[in-house]
Amino acid sequence: MKSSKSGKLASDEPVSRMEIDEAVSRIEVVVDGGDGQDDRAMPSGSAPQSQSNTKTYQCSLCTERFTRGTSLKRHRIRKHQGAPVEDDKSITKSKCLHPDCDKRFYHTTKMLEHMKEDHNVESTRSHHDFNSEKDFLDWKEREEMTNHVYFSQQRGVIERESTRYCYYICQQDGSAQPHRSQDQPARKTDRKNRRGQMKTGMSCPARMSVHTNTETGTINVTYLRTHSHEPSFKDTEHHPIPKSIRTEIESKIALGIPTTQIRRELRDGLGERDNRDGMTTGQLRAYQFISKRIVHKLHRKMNYSARLHPQDNMSTYLMINKLESEKYNPILIYKPQGESVVIGDPGIDQLPHAKDLFAVGIQTREQLHMMNNREILCIDATHGTNQYGFSLTNLIVPDEWGKGYPVGHFISNHTDEETLCYFFQEMKSRSPNLTIAVVMSNDDYSGPNAIKSVFGEGIKRLLCKWHVHRAWQRKLRHHIPTDDALRDEVYETLVVILEEKNINTFNELAETFRNKYTSKCESFVKYFSANYMNRAEAWAMCHRNFPHAATDTNIFVEAFQNRLKTFFIKRQPNRRVDDLVNLLLEIEEEDYWSRKSALQNKSNLNAPPAPMESRHKSGLQIEDKDVGYSDIPHSWQVRSQSASEIWHTVTEIQQACEQDHCFEECRELACLGLCSHLYYCSCDDGSLLCKHIHKIRSFQIRTTQNEQRAEGYCDDSEADPIEVSITTTSVQDDQNVSQSTPPERMLASTKRDLTELQEMLQNEHIVQVLLPHISGTLKKLLAECKAVSGEEMINAQPTEAEAHATFAPNGKLQLQPVKKVPKRRNARPAFTGPTVAERKEIMNSLVSDSESPSSAIQSPAGKTTLALDEKNLASRKHRRRTRAREGGNVN
């Protein structure tokens, strides 16, 4: 066979069938590349050297040789009409199923004819007609589930004239050889499934021959149901989930039905405690044993189907375009890696790292509205949310009920100040009147500096107290590596300084600390003075006397990030960016509806937050005997509720508030007129209105009212008109109450619900989707009703068990005795914060070393507590280290 110079076959010469077969064989060799190499990568004039070029397959009926077995099979069919060759197993497929016959056949139909003629073995056949493809597939699915078999389509569809031919073969039919070429080495490890291999090398004649009329849509099926193996229920481990069952599971997942309930409804009551005796193997179906892992896998696939493209970068691009077309575009910035900015300021392309930069900024309209006019904005970045290592920066504000609300997200591989400026500039451009008063962050300046450069320099910046503690602990281990007692002493002193709420006292304590410990740990004192004393307003509690939502740590951001990673990502960082963006928008929708529900159900949005209510209730629970007058004028002593030997001093600063606005005040009647400008308490509570102040305020008001009654200002004989009207109204309401008892009203309501349920079952959509769920629930209710409907159960009078122990209303169950496993000790000593008593001791020790001893904290008797000597200090350190080893790290 010749070819023209243009590369096309010449048409002026006759071509024989043999030449065509050889040409096809040569094309197959070139496509395979012999040893797996691509011929296009080789230099011109060279040919691939491989053993595949050797013609190892020879026809036993003639002298022809071929390179591949498929070429030999084609030659046998076309040249020798598919005549069987007993000694050539390489081109034959089906061996005779008779145990005493060794003949092999290429076509299964030839083998079945041989068994019928030579061995008198008849195969079982049946013919079926269907009006549509759906009817055929439903019948095929029922046949497979009933007989524990599965038929798969192993070849394509052949269409001739007005008929379409399709063949379904038994799943166990086929070779067990691994799918690799002959010259490819065997695998070093066994990759077979733990359930075993479905194909064992046998030949199974069972199949379905499907002929479809393309004009009428009718289907004729010839079903050969004879298997060469015994079908068993164990084979269903290798079968896929039936399509109808899969659809049912997906619909239940979409309805939000839990996985356990889905599996229970699939069993349809089979296997329940009252229905186990009559259960037979014939009633079992494979879908009744579906595991939770399979249901979760289907759930993940449903989520993956929402992706717009298999590739992450293209799917993200398409998703951004889709979001951009919404009425309010929630995408502030979108800059793909290696591309120009798509959404946002074009100046992003001028950044030094613009080529490598990836950035996605997200903020919905509701989030922008929530961000404005808030007391504080918390910002922090986290990692482990995607497979590329991009950081996720979250912006959180506390709402009216003290709950964190996300107001923006920024995904990027660069979180420097310049990049974040463009993110906040987009917020400012969408809301020019947006104001931010306070920013809470860790010790990273990029976020707060970017906010200040966009929204103004007047923004106050606070450091997270937890991050301050961690930084001090790390530096103490570095500067004081060996002296554990000194390290603990310095840390406890720093805690006392940090928690001090009086500015003058704070300055004195800080100066005394530097003078006292410069000779003991000069390097750490220099570090503390250089990094913290020049910005005390960012971390000291005494400077936080302005509205900041009583937030001293970044707990709102930490809580959101823990919620994101634990409940949504499941602690699996292998997540694509498009999935992460979709997840953040889903969380935003969930938070929006949660807040919407709270707005609908809360009538008074100006109610004090939960911490204020909790402190008020705790203060009223303090008994009057725990309150005493102090020798200091306008001061009271309140006993600590956790340590009875400790007393806190509450001092009245002024009788009436002279400020125009009070951001922290108690609106309860028992504490009428209480705000943060009236009292000062020496306790360690970070709030300006602790429970001891609530107690003193309520105690003052109650004492004043009692004195007025004693002087005759309030006449108790006259009834309060409000109380009278309320009492009269309640009496009238009691007279109008229906005579029906609560059980009768509940029974009438239940009958109405049953009637409504019966009417709703006429809806075909409800029957199609929820009928199994409704049926299972009603069966359970009926079983419980039958259990208590017998006369013996009704007449039975169970004896009440005698109580042998009493428990408190809020008591907890005692832990069962278990073998205590000793905990592994930390390589480095743990830091423990000082107790309340220890803080006062440290305070007085510092004050006694200063030049103004008159500012020392006084005891209830009015005497100044002296500093501890070295012996008591060493003993206290020993007790604290023992407590740390037993209870772990407590800050």
Side-chain angles (χ1 to χ4, degrees):
M1 187 175 77
K2 299 180 181 180
S3 61
S4 61
K5 293 182 180 180
S6 62
K8 299 181 180 179
L9 292 176
S11 59
D12 56 349
E13 297 183 5
V15 182
S16 63
R17 173 64 64 179
M18 186 66 65
E19 290 176 334
I20 293 177
D21 292 340
E22 292 178 357
V24 172
S25 300
R26 286 196 297 271
I27 293 174
E28 292 171 346
V29 172
V30 173
V31 171
D32 289 344
D35 56 354
Q37 300 178 353
D38 191 356
D39 295 343
R40 296 172 294 179
M42 291 191 173
S44 60
S46 63
Q49 301 295 329
S50 174
Q51 297 179 357
S52 299
N53 292 330
T54 306
K55 297 182 178 182
T56 57
Y57 297 91
Q58 181 179 1
C59 180
S60 59
L61 300 179
C62 62
T63 59
E64 291 293 332
R65 301 179 66 88
F66 300 92
T67 308
R68 301 182 57 174
T70 55
S71 301
L72 177 58
K73 293 178 182 179
R74 191 182 301 108
H75 165 75
R76 292 283 305 154
I77 296 172
R78 296 175 177 175
K79 192 71 175 179
H80 304 290
Q81 289 75 39
V85 183
E86 300 178 6
D87 57 346
D88 192 355
K89 298 182 180 181
S90 61
I91 64 172
T92 57
K93 179 181 180 182
S94 303
K95 179 183 176 298
C96 181
L97 299 179
H98 198 276
D100 298 332
C101 182
D102 295 332
K103 289 186 178 182
R104 305 180 70 89
F105 302 86
Y106 183 74
H107 293 286
T108 305
T109 54
K110 299 291 184 181
M111 183 264 293
L112 295 177
E113 293 176 359
H114 161 74
M115 291 186 64
K116 180 179 179 181
E117 296 174 357
D118 298 351
H119 303 292
N120 198 20
V121 177
E122 185 72 25
S123 57
T124 305
R125 295 174 182 267
S126 60
H127 298 277
H128 306 270
D129 295 325
F130 302 96
N131 295 326
S132 63
E133 184 179 7
K134 182 180 181 302
D135 296 341
F136 160 68
L137 294 177
D138 293 342
W139 169 82
K140 174 178 175 291
E141 187 176 285
R142 291 193 301 269
E143 184 71 18
E144 291 171 341
M145 288 192 296
T146 304
N147 299 323
H148 307 313
V149 295
Y150 180 72
F151 294 89
S152 59
Q153 183 179 350
Q154 297 184 355
R155 293 177 179 85
V157 178
I158 302 174
E159 191 167 346
R160 295 175 182 173
E161 296 180 355
S162 61
T163 305
R164 186 187 301 118
Y165 301 90
C166 182
Y167 301 93
Y168 292 87
I169 314 299
C170 177
Q171 189 184 31
Q172 296 198 19
D173 179 75
S175 173
Q177 294 292 333
H179 296 282
R180 58 183 177 87
S181 58
Q182 292 183 352
D183 55 347
Q184 182 180 356
R187 296 190 181 99
K188 295 182 180 180
T189 58
D190 185 9
R191 296 177 59 185
K192 293 182 180 179
N193 195 292
R194 61 176 179 81
R195 295 172 295 184
Q197 189 174 2
M198 187 61 184
K199 297 184 182 297
T200 57
M202 69 171 62
S203 176
C204 182
R207 62 200 60 231
M208 296 180 182
S209 178
V210 183
H211 298 172
T212 305
N213 191 324
T214 57
E215 296 179 355
T216 62
T218 58
I219 298 177
N220 177 264
V221 178
T222 301
Y223 180 28
L224 180 59
R225 62 176 68 245
T226 302
H227 294 267
S228 61
H229 58 92
E230 184 66 26
S232 63
F233 186 80
K234 188 178 183 305
D235 297 338
T236 58
E237 291 183 340
H238 305 274
H239 297 171
I241 303 176
K243 186 176 180 180
S244 61
I245 302 300
R246 184 189 185 100
T247 304
E248 181 180 354
I249 296 176
E250 291 177 349
S251 63
K252 294 179 184 298
I253 292 175
L255 290 173
I257 300 178
T259 303
T260 305
Q261 183 66 19
I262 292 175
R263 299 174 66 221
R264 184 182 297 113
E265 293 178 1
L266 288 177
R267 291 191 287 266
D268 194 19
L270 194 65
E272 293 182 354
R273 288 186 294 273
D274 296 337
N275 194 22
R276 294 177 182 176
D277 296 336
M279 185 172 57
T280 60
T281 306
Q283 295 176 307
L284 298 179
R285 297 292 182 265
Y287 62 83
Q288 297 170 344
F289 295 86
I290 288 179
S291 62
K292 292 183 179 179
R293 181 180 62 86
I294 299 298
V295 179
H296 293 161
K297 185 177 180 180
L298 291 177
H299 196 177
R300 288 195 301 271
K301 287 186 176 181
M302 291 177 61
N303 295 335
Y304 294 160
S305 62
R307 293 174 175 172
L308 302 178
H309 197 274
Q311 296 182 3
D312 193 3
N313 57 349
M314 183 57 66
S315 178
T316 304
Y317 177 79
L318 296 175
M319 180 183 59
I320 296 298
N321 289 339
K322 180 181 177 182
L323 293 173
E324 188 179 9
S325 62
E326 293 183 0
K327 185 177 181 180
Y328 183 89
N329 181 18
I331 304 300
L332 300 179
I333 291 178
Y334 176 53
K335 163 66 173 64
Q337 268 185 319
E339 303 291 340
S340 300
V341 61
V342 178
I343 300 176
D345 194 335
I348 299 176
D349 294 331
Q350 306 302 323
L351 293 174
H353 48 268
K355 184 177 181 180
D356 180 61
L357 175 65
F358 175 86
V360 174
I362 306 171
Q363 188 181 52
T364 63
R365 178 178 53 192
E366 289 74 17
Q367 289 178 334
L368 180 61
H369 175 72
M370 278 290 298
M371 186 176 177
N372 196 17
N373 294 327
R374 294 292 166 178
E375 292 185 1
I376 191 170
L377 172 67
C378 302
I379 178 174
D380 195 8
T382 185
H383 55 84
T385 58
N386 54 84
Q387 58 187 348
Y388 311 106
F390 297 160
S391 297
L392 173 62
T393 303
N394 306 112
L395 306 178
I396 311 292
V397 297
D399 59 8
E400 295 86 346
W401 301 279
K403 180 181 178 182
Y405 192 95
V407 294
H409 309 283
F410 186 64
I411 307 171
S412 178
N413 56 345
H414 292 277
T415 55
D416 56 291
E417 182 179 343
E418 294 180 344
T419 306
L420 289 174
C421 279
Y422 287 101
F423 175 56
F424 292 111
Q425 284 176 4
E426 292 297 326
M427 295 183 186
K428 187 69 173 179
S429 64
R430 297 193 179 191
S431 179
N433 297 326
L434 180 63
T435 58
I436 298 176
V438 184
V439 176
M440 169 75 70
S441 68
N442 55 12
D443 216 355
D444 184 11
Y445 279 87
S446 58
N449 288 349
I451 294 176
K452 285 186 176 182
S453 62
V454 175
F455 295 96
E457 293 294 333
I459 299 176
K460 295 182 176 62
R461 188 222 173 170
L462 300 181
L463 286 177
C464 173
K465 187 167 67 173
W466 183 87
H467 286 90
V468 173
H469 279 277
R470 187 178 65 170
W472 286 349
Q473 293 172 4
R474 289 179 176 178
K475 289 299 179 180
L476 283 171
R477 292 191 181 99
H478 174 72
H479 292 284
I480 312 176
T482 57
D483 195 344
D484 295 346
L486 178 61
R487 183 170 57 241
D488 292 344
E489 180 182 347
V490 173
Y491 176 69
E492 291 180 354
T493 306
L494 290 174
V495 172
V496 173
I497 296 175
L498 183 146
E499 297 294 343
E500 176 56 41
K501 292 181 290 186
N502 186 279
I503 297 179
N504 296 329
T505 306
F506 167 81
N507 294 330
E508 294 178 3
L509 296 178
E511 185 65 26
T512 305
F513 169 80
R514 287 187 290 184
N515 297 333
K516 180 178 181 179
Y517 291 100
T518 299
S519 59
K520 299 180 181 180
C521 49
E522 183 179 1
S523 60
F524 178 80
V525 173
K526 289 183 178 180
Y527 159 78
F528 176 75
S529 301
N531 294 277
Y532 287 93
M533 288 308 300
N534 56 349
R535 49 171 185 165
E537 65 280 356
W539 58 271
M541 297 297 107
C542 62
H543 290 281
R544 300 186 179 184
N545 52 2
F546 51 85
H548 60 284
T551 303
D552 295 325
T553 63
N554 241 352
I555 187 62
F556 293 118
V557 183
E558 299 291 343
F560 172 79
Q561 293 173 354
N562 179 68
R563 170 190 172 199
L564 172 68
K565 295 181 179 180
T566 303
F567 297 101
F568 291 96
I569 303 182
K570 307 296 183 183
R571 292 291 172 181
Q572 298 176 358
N574 190 17
R575 179 171 291 273
R576 303 188 348 168
V577 172
D578 57 346
D579 291 341
L580 180 59
V581 174
N582 278 326
L583 182 58
L584 293 175
L585 293 176
E586 290 177 5
I587 296 176
E588 188 276 335
E589 184 177 356
E590 180 179 330
D591 292 340
Y592 167 77
W593 281 108
S594 177
R595 173 176 169 76
K596 192 74 173 178
S597 175
L599 291 173
Q600 295 295 329
N601 298 329
K602 296 285 185 178
S603 57
N604 184 13
L605 294 180
N606 296 322
M612 181 69 71
E613 295 178 357
S614 176
R615 291 185 176 93
H616 175 80
K617 293 179 180 179
S618 300
L620 296 185
Q621 292 176 358
I622 299 177
E623 298 181 3
D624 291 344
K625 65 179 182 180
D626 293 337
V627 179
Y629 291 97
S630 175
D631 294 340
I632 304 175
H634 304 288
S635 298
W636 296 264
Q637 296 291 333
V638 183
R639 187 191 301 273
S640 173
Q641 301 302 299
S642 57
S644 59
E645 70 278 2
I646 299 175
W647 291 78
H648 301 293
T649 303
V650 179
T651 304
E652 185 181 25
I653 302 174
Q654 53 186 359
Q655 294 183 355
C657 181
E658 300 177 355
Q659 302 294 330
D660 294 335
H661 300 283
C662 295
F663 295 96
E664 290 194 30
E665 56 181 343
C666 181
R667 295 184 176 89
E668 297 294 334
L669 187 61
C671 297
L672 184 64
L674 176 61
C675 71
S676 58
H677 302 98
L678 301 183
Y679 298 90
Y680 169 79
C681 183
S682 62
C683 69
D684 299 320
D685 192 346
S687 175
L688 297 177
L689 291 179
C690 64
K691 62 181 180 181
H692 310 109
I693 294 179
H694 285 276
K695 176 61 181 177
I696 294 301
R697 182 65 176 181
S698 62
F699 180 78
Q700 275 188 297
I701 293 177
R702 191 171 66 253
T703 304
T704 303
Q705 291 177 351
N706 292 336
E707 293 176 354
Q708 292 176 353
R709 288 193 180 94
E711 295 177 2
Y713 289 107
C714 181
D715 189 0
D716 294 337
S717 62
E718 296 181 2
D720 190 353
I722 300 179
E723 182 178 357
V724 173
S725 62
I726 294 176
T727 305
T728 306
T729 303
S730 62
V731 172
Q732 294 176 356
D733 292 340
D734 291 339
Q735 295 176 355
N736 296 331
V737 171
S738 176
Q739 300 298 325
S740 60
T741 60
E744 294 177 351
R745 293 195 297 269
M746 186 179 298
L747 179 60
S749 176
T750 303
K751 290 181 178 180
R752 289 195 300 270
D753 293 340
L754 291 176
T755 304
E756 184 178 359
L757 176 62
Q758 187 175 4
E759 295 176 355
M760 295 183 69
L761 287 178
Q762 305 298 326
N763 190 324
E764 296 182 358
H765 181 68
I766 294 178
V767 172
Q768 183 179 0
V769 177
L770 294 178
L771 182 59
H773 178 65
I774 297 174
S775 177
T777 304
L778 291 179
K779 287 182 180 179
K780 183 178 179 180
L781 290 175
L782 289 175
E784 294 175 356
C785 294
K786 292 178 180 179
V788 298
S789 61
E791 295 182 359
E792 297 179 357
M793 178 63 69
I794 296 176
N795 298 328
Q797 296 293 335
T799 58
E800 184 177 358
E802 182 180 357
H804 296 281
T806 58
F807 298 93
N810 58 346
K812 299 181 180 179
L813 294 177
Q814 297 181 359
L815 297 178
Q816 297 297 320
V818 294
K819 183 179 180 181
K820 186 176 181 180
V821 180
K823 294 183 178 180
R824 181 179 178 182
R825 295 186 60 183
N826 297 329
R828 57 186 183 182
F831 285 92
T832 56
T835 62
V836 176
E838 292 172 350
R839 290 186 182 185
K840 288 198 173 184
E841 294 172 358
I842 295 172
M843 171 76 71
N844 288 279
S845 176
L846 291 175
V847 172
S848 62
D849 293 339
S850 64
E851 298 179 356
S852 56
S854 60
S855 60
I857 299 298
Q858 294 186 351
S859 64
K863 298 181 180 180
T864 304
T865 304
L866 300 178
L868 296 178
D869 55 9
E870 297 295 333
K871 182 177 179 180
N872 293 337
L873 182 61
S875 176
R876 181 168 56 86
K877 299 298 181 183
H878 175 72
R879 293 196 305 270
R880 289 187 58 256
R881 284 194 293 268
T882 303
R883 186 172 68 250
R885 286 194 298 268
E886 295 177 354
N889 189 0
V890 180
N891 288 332

